[in-house]
């Protein structure tokens, strides 16, 4: 290109463009003309360089002010031209589109200790075990530090050596087009070191796949989705790094009789007609065995009774829930001749009261609606 184009024209923006508009326009052009997308294209390389030069000026407030006043002439004496430092912003501008965080020095050699990964284990427990707690054992497959090499990956008496390909930098720098880029070293995978004499037990990995048996104490009161954190029982760390943690997620099996809501439990008990009419003392199942409960005479079906402190223990050990018992009056469907005669006689005795009760209901409804 024999004559420089106007920087605003290069980026396709107006002279009043904001900083964000300048960056967005540059990003669009950089993605379009990047050499990796246009291998061997001299024109694309020039367009890419031209956009970078325009951005290096317009993204700098002082340079932009000088350019707006004097044009390209004001960029002489070190104020204009292509600035390699512009590429320090590539990780922000181009993101991971080309992996440019690696290309322009974003990748760094990780030579220090690295924490191991966390693990998750799903544990199913019974309703009762969730209510009262339990001790149990679980088997966890995980990577553990190799005992033979202490996690170094090298044979006994040996150690890692500096990577000859990158001289320990973890990156290899080379020239592409008009600028210098760097990539993660493929020989050491960015470690900067290689193992020439690997440990026979772990084949140089520094860890081995093993199965650990752990004894867990499940506290009383856990519920579906409760998570228990077991510190230091996750995957082994790398390069003498600390291990990760183990998270045990609780799943509680349904109970055929009880339902749980928070720390309270609910159940339903069938009851005979005579028990409801005359009152009775019935046995109610609880989490700790049967409990006697008094039913007053005249109890209606659907009445709810409370048994205090018969629910679930709170996880924070501050109190305990209750048990709520709903009684359901069971109406007999088959009667013997004698039973039927007794009910007919009863009906004659209470018929007037029942009719009076029904009339009272209709009269109330009539009063409400006029």
């Amino acid at each position: 290109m024999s004559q420089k184009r106007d920087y605003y024209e290069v980026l396709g923006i107006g002279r009043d463009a904001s900083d964000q508009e300048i960056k967005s326009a540059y990003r669009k052009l950089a993605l379009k003309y990047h050499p990796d997308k246009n291998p061997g294209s001299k024109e694309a390389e020039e367009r890419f360089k031209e956009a970078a030069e325009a951005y290096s000026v317009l993204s700098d407030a002082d340079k932009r002010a000088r350019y707006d006043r004097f044009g390209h002439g004001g960029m002489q004496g070190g104020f204009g031209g292509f600035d390699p430092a512009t590429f320090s912003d590539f990780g922000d501008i181009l993101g991971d589109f080309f992996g440019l965080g690696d290309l322009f020095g974003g990748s760094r050699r990780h030579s220090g200790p690295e924490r191991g990964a966390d693990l998750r284990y799903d544990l199913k427990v019974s309703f009762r075990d969730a209510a009262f707690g339990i001790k149990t054992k679980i088997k966890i497959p995980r990577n553990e530090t190799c005992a033979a090499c202490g996690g170094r990956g090298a044979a006994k008496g040996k150690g890692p050596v500096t990577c000859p390909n990158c001289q320990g930098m973890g990156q290899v720098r080379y020239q592409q087009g008009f600028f210098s880029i760097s990539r993660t070293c493929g020989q050491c995978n960015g470690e900067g070191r290689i193992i020439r004499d690997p440990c026979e037990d772990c084949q140089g990995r520094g860890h081995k796949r093993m199965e650990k048996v752990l004894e867990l104490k499940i506290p009383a009161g856990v519920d579906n989705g409760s998570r228990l954190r077991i510190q230091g029982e996750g995957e082994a760390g790398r390069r003498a790094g600390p291990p990760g943690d183990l998270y045990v997620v609780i799943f509680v099996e349904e109970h055929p009789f009880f339902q749980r809501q928070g720390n309270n439990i609910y159940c339903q008990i069938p009851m005979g007609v005579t028990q409801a009419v005359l009152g009775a003392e019935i046995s109610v199942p609880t989490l700790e065995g049967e409990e006697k409960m008094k039913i007053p005479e005249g109890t209606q079906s659907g009445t709810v009774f409370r048994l205090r402190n018969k629910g679930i223990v709170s996880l924070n050990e501050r109190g305990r829930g209750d048990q709520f018992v709903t009684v359901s009056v069971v109406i007999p469907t088959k009667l013997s001749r004698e039973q039927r005669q007794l009910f007919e006689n009863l009906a004659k005795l209470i018929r007037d009261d029942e009719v009076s009760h029904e009339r009272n209901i209709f009269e109330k409804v009539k009063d409400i609606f006029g």
Side-chain angles (χ1 to χ4, degrees):
M1 298 182 183
S2 57
Q3 186 176 358
K4 284 188 177 183
R5 292 196 296 159
D6 178 76
Y7 287 148
Y8 292 99
E9 179 186 344
V10 170
L11 297 183
I13 56 177
R15 305 190 77 84
D16 58 347
S18 66
D19 291 343
Q20 185 58 47
E21 289 173 330
I22 293 172
K23 178 181 281 191
S24 297
Y26 172 53
R27 181 180 185 275
K28 182 178 179 180
L29 292 172
L31 292 175
K32 180 178 181 180
Y33 294 114
H34 191 275
D36 280 358
K37 291 191 66 177
N38 304 273
S41 173
K42 187 66 176 177
E43 180 182 357
E45 183 175 317
E46 290 298 327
R47 291 285 187 183
F48 186 75
K49 184 176 180 179
E50 181 185 44
E53 181 178 327
Y55 176 73
S56 70
V57 172
L58 299 184
S59 62
D60 184 288
D62 292 337
K63 291 182 181 180
R64 182 180 181 182
R66 178 177 286 270
Y67 178 74
D68 287 344
R69 186 175 182 183
F70 301 108
H72 289 296
M75 295 294 100
Q76 303 301 319
F79 288 100
F82 174 70
D83 182 4
T86 301
F87 293 100
S88 64
D89 292 335
F90 266 29
D92 176 46
I93 296 171
L94 301 185
D96 295 327
F97 191 86
F98 295 108
L100 294 180
D102 182 23
L103 288 177
F104 294 96
S107 177
R108 294 291 183 266
R109 177 166 61 93
H110 300 288
S111 58
E114 186 176 325
R115 183 181 181 275
D118 293 332
L119 294 177
R120 168 176 169 154
Y121 185 92
D122 293 343
L123 178 64
K124 184 179 288 187
V125 299
S126 69
F127 192 93
R128 180 179 175 80
D129 289 340
F132 294 104
I134 187 179
K135 286 185 178 180
T136 187
K137 292 182 178 180
I138 60 175
K139 293 181 179 180
I140 305 294
R142 66 183 186 185
N143 290 326
E144 294 192 14
T145 300
C146 176
C149 67
R152 296 175 302 159
K156 189 175 181 180
K158 303 291 184 178
V161 297
T162 300
C163 174
N165 191 44
C166 65
Q167 286 74 49
M169 297 300 295
Q171 297 178 338
V172 178
R173 184 175 294 273
Y174 62 95
Q175 196 76 18
Q176 177 173 324
F178 59 87
F179 54 88
S180 178
I181 63 176
S182 61
R183 292 186 184 274
T184 300
C185 177
Q187 187 167 345
C188 66
N189 293 320
E191 297 287 340
R193 301 181 299 173
I194 59 174
I195 297 173
R196 287 181 174 166
D197 299 293
C199 170
E200 293 184 359
D201 277 21
C202 64
Q203 287 77 51
R205 291 189 296 269
H207 56 79
K208 297 177 66 175
R209 196 69 174 171
M210 303 182 72
E211 194 173 68
K212 177 71 176 291
V213 178
L214 296 175
E215 184 171 320
L216 296 181
K217 182 179 180 181
I218 307 300
V222 294
D223 202 354
N224 266 322
S226 293
R227 293 202 317 167
L228 307 179
R229 177 189 175 208
I230 316 299
Q231 192 170 2
E233 294 295 349
E235 298 274 22
R238 298 183 60 197
R239 296 181 292 275
D245 297 332
L246 170 66
Y247 289 88
V248 179
V249 182
I250 304 297
F251 291 89
V252 181
E253 296 177 340
E254 292 186 2
H255 195 278
F257 184 71
F258 297 114
Q259 290 82 45
R260 177 176 178 177
Q261 293 183 22
N263 290 329
N264 297 322
I265 60 173
Y266 297 79
C267 66
Q268 186 169 320
I269 297 291
M271 187 174 56
V273 174
T274 56
Q275 290 176 312
V277 173
L278 302 177
E281 186 177 75
I282 63 174
S283 294
V284 177
T286 72
L287 292 173
E288 298 172 300
E290 289 190 350
E291 181 85 8
K292 295 294 184 180
M293 187 175 74
K294 288 185 178 181
I295 302 296
E297 62 181 51
T299 294
Q300 302 298 309
S301 186
T303 301
V304 179
F305 297 91
R306 172 187 283 185
L307 297 177
R308 294 188 179 278
N309 297 320
K310 293 297 180 181
I312 306 294
V313 176
S314 176
L315 262 177
N316 58 19
E317 299 181 353
R318 294 181 180 177
R320 180 174 179 177
D322 301 325
Q323 178 174 334
F324 292 88
V325 182
T326 302
V327 295
S328 176
V329 179
V330 178
I331 306 299
T333 56
K334 292 183 179 180
L335 298 174
S336 66
R337 182 177 299 177
E338 183 180 2
Q339 289 171 333
R340 185 175 185 82
Q341 184 63 51
L342 291 173
F343 271 104
E344 288 176 351
N345 292 337
L346 178 63
K348 292 177 182 179
L349 294 175
I350 65 174
R351 179 181 299 170
D352 289 340
D353 292 339
E354 288 293 330
V355 170
S356 174
H357 178 63
E358 290 179 1
R359 286 176 179 172
N360 286 337
I361 293 176
F362 289 127
E363 287 174 0
K364 289 179 180 179
V365 172
K366 185 177 180 181
D367 290 341
I368 293 173
F369 292 100

